[in-house]
Amino acid sequence: MSRVKRGVTGHARHKKVLEMASGYRGRGNTSFRIAIEKVEKGLQYQYRDRRARKRNFRALWIQRINAAVREHGLTYSRFIDGLAKAGVEVDRKVLSDLAIREPGAFKALVEQARAALPTEA
C-alpha cells in the first residue's frame, strides 16, 4: 500500500476555514485554532437565525395586519376567523402587503371577513 501524505488536504482545510473567517476581529481571522471556533459558532448562529427569521417575519406580518384591521373596527383574530369562514385562502405575507400597498383591496377583504362572521346579539 502506498504512503499517503496529508499536506495538501490539511492546507486546503485551513484555507477554507480562514476564508470563511475573513472579516472577523483580532486573531479570529488569522489564527486557524481560533478561526475554526469562530467559524463553527458563526455557522450555528446562521442555522438558528434562518429559522428565527421566519418567525420574526410572521410576527411582523401579523402586527401589520392587526393594525390595518383595527382601523376597520375588527381585531386580528376575528378577521382571520372571518377569512377562514369566507373561504379566502390568502397568506399573512400577502395580507400584510395588501394592507400597506392596496388599502382598497384590503378593505374589501375586511368586509368579506365581516360578512362571514356571525352577528353579535
Side-chain angles (χ1 to χ4, degrees), residues 65 68-75 78-79 82-83 86 88 95 99 103-117:
I65 294 166
V69 165
R70 284 179 187 269
E71 289 178 357
H72 299 290
L74 270 180
T75 63
R78 300 268 298 148
F79 174 65
L83 285 180
V88 177
L95 285 171
F106 187 76
K107 185 176 183 188
L109 283 174
V110 171
E111 296 305 323
Q112 212 174 347
R114 186 177 278 133
L117 289 170

Side-chain angles (χ1 to χ4, degrees), residues 25-118:
R25 293 180 61 130
R27 287 197 305 161
N29 66 357
T30 54
S31 170
F32 177 73
R33 266 191 190 180
I34 295 167
I36 196 162
E37 291 176 8
K38 292 193 178 286
V39 165
E40 284 177 359
K41 192 66 174 178
L43 292 172
Q44 289 172 1
Y45 286 139
Q46 186 183 42
Y47 180 86
R48 178 197 71 190
D49 291 340
R50 280 198 302 268
R51 280 135 190 86
R53 184 190 322 139
K54 294 165 181 59
R55 293 192 294 270
N56 291 339
F57 269 104
R58 182 182 169 94
L60 175 67
W61 297 328
I62 288 172
Q63 288 170 3
R64 287 177 174 173
I65 294 166
N66 192 17
V69 165
R70 284 179 187 269
E71 289 178 357
H72 299 290
L74 270 180
T75 63
Y76 170 79
S77 62
R78 300 268 298 148
F79 174 65
I80 293 296
D81 185 36
L83 285 180
K85 288 179 177 164
V88 177
E89 292 184 7
V90 181
D91 64 7
R92 285 159 182 81
K93 179 179 177 180
V94 173
L95 285 171
S96 170
D97 198 51
L98 280 174
I100 295 167
R101 290 189 168 82
E102 304 282 341
F106 187 76
K107 185 176 183 188
L109 283 174
V110 171
E111 296 305 323
Q112 212 174 347
R114 186 177 278 133
L117 289 170

Side-chain angles (χ1 to χ4, degrees), residues 1-16:
M1 192 167 210
S2 61
R3 175 175 170 220
V4 176
K5 296 174 72 177
R6 299 181 56 229
V8 175
T9 54
H11 183 75
R13 182 166 165 261
H14 282 227
K15 185 178 172 188
K16 182 177 78 171

